[in-house]
Amino acid sequence: MKSHILKILKSSAEYISGEDLSRELNVSRTAVWKNINALKEEGYVISSVRNKGYRLEQCPDILDEEIIKNKLQTKKVKTVGTGLSILKTVDSTNEEVKRRAANGEPEGLVVAAEEQTAGKGRLGRNWQSHADGGVYFTILIRPELPPSDIASITLAAGYAVCLAVRSYTGCDARIKWPNDIIIGTKKVCGILTEMAAQSDRLDYVAIGIGINVNQSKFPDEIKDKATSLLLETGNKLDRSDFLAAVIKQLDTVLNSFLVSLSITEFSDFKNLCATIGRTVSVERNGVTLTGTADDITTKGELIINTGSQTISVNSGEVTVQGIY
Ligand code: BTN
């Protein structure tokens, strides 16, 4: 009911009387009043004037579980987002999802948190995740695939985030192969995928996604490499609405990818990949190889032409000249 009241308040610039709200929702005036108070406790600024009613003045920047759930229902997600848990604080949403997956949680769960106390990045790095306006979440899927497909599943997730950022903000977001989303030359999103598998079959995949959304600044050590959607657009985003949009896009893209199992089936994937056509360096067996990133295979490997040889790379740290 809380989210319904919020929706009505959001749709009106004028005061709405408690009586109108109780009639519309078919509940008592006391129930309306209690829900208004609950919203105020969450940080919504709602003015109330005798004989006029309630008016929404300001929304807090929070991830609201009930609101996101309702949006996902409206968007009719099939898999990703069929379960949702929003936490104030957690060590790492990836760890939380792995714990729940080990306890038999069905696929589709999304766990998001306002803050991670031990956020994890790739290659053992940490991922700073204070309650600073970022969106940190992990999705659980259980595809019946061999573990070798994990890299292309991650690429599909990155492609989905890229599409969602583009359509939600209009920013020219692109994929920095394999796991980052960039705007211009700066990183706006990182992805860390973890899995559990039997020898030939995945048990589960936990796709952890960190998106810089409403951060207005970054610590000195990353400020030249990181950006946020707020810094790019000048606008503060409604993170609940944005997260619901990203989850919907992940649901669409991952369901379609799990049928085709080919990343290049997405006709604009290569166009959106900032790495293609650039000079890149990659570490291989302790040797740094430099060449031009020419193409992507259906399995998502990067084809690099060094001049003397053509190699395909399926993971590892790739440095793209002119980006980071
Ligand atoms: C990277 O670029 O190094 C990957 C960063 C992944 C960060 C996300 S935030 C949500 C999820 N939980 C984690 O601990 N890490 C991922």
Side-chain angles (χ1 to χ4, degrees):
M1 189 206 309
K2 203 176 62 183
S3 66
H4 199 163
I5 292 185
L6 195 57
K7 195 171 165 198
I8 298 174
L9 291 178
K10 274 187 175 172
S11 68
S12 168
E14 300 303 323
Y15 281 88
I16 301 177
S17 73
E19 202 178 325
D20 284 351
L21 284 170
S22 69
R23 200 178 315 114
E24 172 111 18
L25 297 165
N26 205 13
V27 294
S28 68
R29 295 275 298 271
T30 318
V32 169
W33 179 78
K34 276 192 183 149
N35 279 280
I36 294 274
N37 280 348
L39 286 168
K40 283 181 178 170
E41 257 164 45
E42 284 174 18
Y44 291 90
V45 180
I46 299 169
S47 57
S48 38
V49 173
R50 194 187 287 272
N51 295 328
K52 279 174 117 181
Y54 303 104
R55 189 172 69 183
L56 180 64
E57 308 291 349
Q58 209 182 314
C59 293
D61 184 16
I62 52 163
L63 295 171
D64 188 308
E65 186 167 312
E66 196 185 332
I67 288 173
I68 300 171
K69 262 190 189 144
N70 280 332
K71 286 180 190 290
L72 292 174
Q73 251 166 29
T74 315
K75 290 174 193 288
K76 297 191 170 46
V77 288
K78 290 201 197 95
T79 315
V80 184
T82 47
L84 179 73
S85 175
I86 306 285
L87 307 172
K88 275 221 152 48
T89 183
V90 71
D91 51 355
S92 150
T93 53
N94 271 28
E95 292 303 318
E96 180 65 21
V97 162
K98 282 160 51 186
R99 287 190 284 267
R100 296 193 195 188
N103 278 331
E105 180 81 36
E107 73 169 347
L109 174 73
V110 175
V111 173
E114 292 287 357
E115 172 196 63
Q116 300 182 113
T117 53
K120 304 192 302 180
R122 290 177 67 228
L123 307 170
R125 296 174 186 140
N126 77 327
W127 181 263
Q128 290 197 24
S129 328
H130 307 297
D132 58 357
V135 169
Y136 314 115
F137 67 107
T138 300
I139 67 183
L140 171 65
I141 53 170
R142 295 184 182 273
E144 289 181 10
L145 293 174
S148 54
D149 280 325
I150 188 99
S152 45
I153 295 172
T154 310
L155 281 179
Y159 169 69
V161 175
C162 182
L163 290 186
V165 168
R166 292 176 76 86
S167 69
Y168 201 91
T169 65
C171 288
D172 186 19
R174 284 172 189 270
I175 301 150
K176 177 175 178 277
W177 186 94
N179 290 350
D180 293 352
I181 306 301
I182 56 172
I183 299 176
T185 59
K186 292 182 170 183
K187 177 161 169 171
V188 74
C189 165
I191 301 181
L192 172 66
T193 300
E194 298 183 78
M195 63 169 186
Q198 309 296 324
S199 56
D200 59 345
R201 216 181 108 168
L202 286 166
D203 175 15
Y204 69 78
V205 181
I207 308 173
I209 302 175
I211 311 178
N212 300 330
V213 179
N214 282 340
Q215 289 98 327
S216 53
K217 57 181 178 359
F218 290 97
D220 281 350
E221 36 324 343
I222 55 169
K223 72 172 196 287
D224 294 334
K225 293 196 268 187
T227 189
S228 72
L229 299 177
L230 167 65
L231 291 172
E232 293 299 322
T233 62
N235 295 321
K236 208 165 184 183
L237 266 60
D238 176 335
R239 288 185 306 139
S240 296
D241 193 55
F242 174 69
L243 178 56
V246 176
I247 292 173
K248 170 67 187 171
Q249 192 68 71
L250 280 160
D251 185 55
T252 307
V253 167
L254 287 173
N255 275 311
S256 136
F257 174 75
L258 292 173
V259 175
S260 72
L261 293 182
S262 158
I263 197 70
T264 44
E265 278 290 300
F266 299 113
S267 56
D268 53 350
F269 184 88
K270 287 186 197 173
N271 272 343
L272 292 178
C273 182
T275 312
I276 293 182
R278 296 221 187 213
T279 303
V280 299
S281 299
V282 63
E283 285 278 320
R284 246 205 178 182
N285 307 324
V287 181
T288 305
L289 297 172
T290 299
T292 309
D294 270 353
D295 207 354
I296 300 251
T297 66
T298 54
K299 287 275 165 220
E301 295 149 321
L302 192 66
I303 305 287
I304 302 173
N305 184 346
T306 66
S308 57
Q309 57 176 332
T310 299
I311 54 169
S312 69
V313 190
N314 58 19
S315 67
E317 194 70 332
V318 169
T319 317
V320 185
Q321 224 170 64
I323 303 186
Y324 57 84

